[in-house]
Amino acid sequence: MKNYRLSEEIGRVDAAFIEEVFEYGKNERRTIMSKKVLAIALAAALVITVGVTAVAASWSGLIKLDEYFVGCEETFNVPEKMPKAEISIVGNDLVTTVPEPEPFEPGDARVTSVVATNHGLFCTIEINIAGLGVPDELPEEALDNHGFIIGDIRVFQEVDGSKERYPWSGHVSTEKNGDTVDVVISAECASSRPEGKMIFEIENIAYLKYEGDDKVDVPVYEGIFEAVLNPEDYEVLESRYSTNIPEIMGVPFSAELCANGLFLTVDGSEDVDIVEWAESDLGKKAEQVTYEMSHSEICLITKDGRKFSGLLGSFDYDGENFIGGGGSGLKGLYLSFVTLINTDEIASVTVDGVEFTF
Amino acid sequence: MEDEAIVGLFFERDETAVGLVREKYGTLLCSLARRLTGSESDAEECLNDALLQLWRNIPPSYPQNLRAYACQTVRNLAFKRLTHNLAKKRCVNSELPLDELEAVISDPDAELRLKNADFSVLLDSFLRGLTPESRVVFMKRYFFMDSVKEIAGDLGVSEAKVKSLLWRARNKLRKELLKGESQ
């Protein structure tokens, strides 16, 4: 009979490792779960109001929403687009740069630019890899379109003297330039704002290759680089809040607009469970709602009167539970923007015709 | 009721402790057993056996983590049932990652060398050396037997990342096991 000794022995490991599975990243998991549920809830809410879309569609002078974001990329210095040499001449309120990075040694990492909002942190971290044995070129087996990558990145924040995991989702890109590796991280977190000292742990430099059908990363340097962002090095960009409280299906919503997203929150203290409300009113299957979601329309209206309109699918779409309400219901919705925007130039946002003014 | 209080009831030989564990963790335990055995009836039997074992073992055991301890108990029982079913060539859950993990010691020489090794000590040491994220992914896959897709969904990461973490962890485990044997 075949022996499964390892699988059996794993059943005898220290119980603390088992408990850790339950305790690990409770915040992250809660966020993910509520995101899944709310993705459907918002979709439902938007589909309910789809009839109003005709109003938005009939507006004259609509410009594609994509163009707005392309414009943002060109106008504003999001970390991916910000060469370090230009730090000193950045004159844009959107970006706070870390002043004069200190010289650093091989194996060190430092933050060279940062944008922090109420719900996210976007920064560039530079790693000095001189003499660490990282090859100049990728090995032949590497998937060269990915370049060198990092194995993992963990973010912590120091709150009241204790180091807490900053539960983020988002993306990381990496670029090797000679003896340095630039890591750009877009860390969104709907439920927690960056505060205090932020600590980044970057694990390993690696490349990707195929192992059978799987893509796996192969470390070329194994170790952890730590970069620290002190509170005095960055400011959190304040959000803007809607001046009106429009209703969707009789439920009042208020909106928070920050550079990386639009947050709709059930206004007041009403005990509303969005999921129950949407499902009972719609009576639709989740798949159907999710499909219809991609046809919902968002419109950003700038102060100079330009109207940028596009389908919800143009966004990196997510949902978030903002207020526990004693566990009685989910009360928040979240649209995240792939590209950071300058909130100051936005006059209003419509979500399938429901308008939030700022 | 808090776990510590339930453990207290076990120590007082109060049988309601068993019912409280079933009430609080029955679904979790049954689900774990069902995953391993692939059978509802086997899972229910494993749960009953596990509860009986808890009653017998506490005291003298004093679990710091009752939930983990109960999971461990039911997992070990379910694993025995699984190997029994495999030996009898009965139908089992074909998606269990048994071969995936055993491939770590698939080299016959390595297997022979490790025959008498103290696996549990080596495994504890190996797990302590992983990052928390890798450790959780490893445990979810090989203790709880979750699928890669489930792990990715639960942790909010891509399936590719989960596969990479598992691949690296298995490599590390292979090295640790061989190193442990040579010491």
Side-chain angles (χ1 to χ4, degrees), chain A residues 10 13 17-26 29 32-33 36, chain B residues 28 31-32 35-36 75 95-98 100-101 126-127 130-157 162 165-166 169:
Chain A
I10 290 212
V13 295
F17 296 132
I18 301 162
E19 190 61 22
E20 185 185 29
V21 173
F22 296 116
E23 294 300 320
Y24 178 80
K26 269 186 172 173
R29 278 209 292 276
I32 292 159
M33 286 307 291
K36 283 178 183 167
Chain B
L28 167 72
S31 154
L32 175 57
R35 191 178 290 266
L36 267 83
R75 200 250 189 213
E95 291 179 2
L96 293 176
L98 298 172
E100 184 180 299
L101 185 61
F126 154 74
L127 287 168
L130 293 178
T131 63
E133 185 181 43
S134 295
R135 193 160 56 229
V136 165
V137 167
F138 189 89
M139 289 297 289
K140 285 174 92 62
R141 180 69 174 152
Y142 301 120
F143 181 92
F144 289 97
M145 306 278 183
D146 288 351
S147 69
V148 169
K149 189 176 181 180
E150 286 168 327
I151 298 169
D154 199 21
L155 299 185
V157 297
V162 171
L165 288 172
L166 290 170

Side-chain angles (χ1 to χ4, degrees), chain A residues 283-303:
Chain A
K284 290 186 176 180
K285 286 184 179 177
E287 296 80 9
Q288 186 185 356
V289 172
T290 308
Y291 173 77
E292 291 182 48
M293 174 186 74
S294 65
H295 297 279
S296 300
E297 189 170 35
I298 304 291
C299 187
L300 297 184
I301 302 164
T302 58
K303 285 177 180 169

Side-chain angles (χ1 to χ4, degrees), chain A residues 81-287:
Chain A
K81 302 290 179 186
M82 188 171 65
K84 287 187 289 296
E86 292 179 16
I87 286 178
S88 59
I89 59 168
V90 171
N92 196 310
D93 289 339
L94 191 63
V95 174
T96 306
T97 57
V98 178
E100 297 297 325
E102 295 290 327
F104 67 155
E105 299 293 322
D108 286 351
R110 61 185 180 184
V111 180
T112 54
S113 74
V114 59
V115 177
T117 75
N118 266 355
H119 302 283
L121 194 67
F122 309 84
C123 57
T124 306
I125 300 165
E126 190 180 48
I127 305 171
N128 187 337
I129 55 167
L132 298 186
V134 177
D136 290 335
E137 303 293 335
L138 287 167
E140 275 189 13
E141 64 176 0
L143 303 172
D144 57 4
N145 56 329
H146 291 84
F148 286 99
I149 61 167
I150 56 167
D152 196 12
I153 183 164
R154 294 176 288 277
V155 185
F156 301 88
Q157 57 186 349
E158 209 170 75
V159 181
D160 298 330
S162 63
K163 190 175 159 188
E164 295 176 357
R165 194 86 180 243
Y166 183 67
W168 63 277
S169 59
H171 66 270
V172 176
S173 61
T174 310
E175 188 175 343
K176 182 176 176 294
N177 298 302
D179 283 341
T180 61
V181 170
D182 284 336
V183 179
V184 176
I185 174 172
S186 299
E188 294 178 350
C189 177
S191 58
S192 170
R193 64 181 272 155
E195 55 180 316
K197 184 161 88 175
M198 306 295 296
I199 301 143
F200 302 85
E201 284 183 5
I202 298 167
E203 187 179 327
N204 296 0
I205 309 287
Y207 63 85
L208 281 173
K209 72 163 189 173
Y210 273 113
E211 180 82 12
D213 293 333
D214 298 335
K215 263 188 223 171
V216 297
D217 54 336
V218 183
V220 289
Y221 174 79
E222 290 193 76
I224 292 177
F225 306 94
E226 185 177 283
V228 173
L229 182 61
N230 289 305
E232 59 271 22
D233 292 337
Y234 70 97
E235 291 174 8
V236 174
L237 289 171
E238 289 303 324
S239 300
R240 295 182 63 209
Y241 297 89
S242 61
T243 54
N244 67 331
I245 304 173
E247 291 189 352
I248 300 175
M249 288 293 287
V251 178
F253 277 86
S254 58
E256 176 190 355
L257 184 65
C258 72
N260 67 304
L262 176 70
F263 298 76
L264 307 180
T265 312
V266 175
D267 192 72
S269 57
E270 286 181 68
D271 186 17
V272 178
D273 186 321
I274 295 173
V275 178
E276 282 183 17
W277 154 66
E279 287 183 349
S280 61
D281 280 318
L282 276 178
K284 290 186 176 180
K285 286 184 179 177
E287 296 80 9

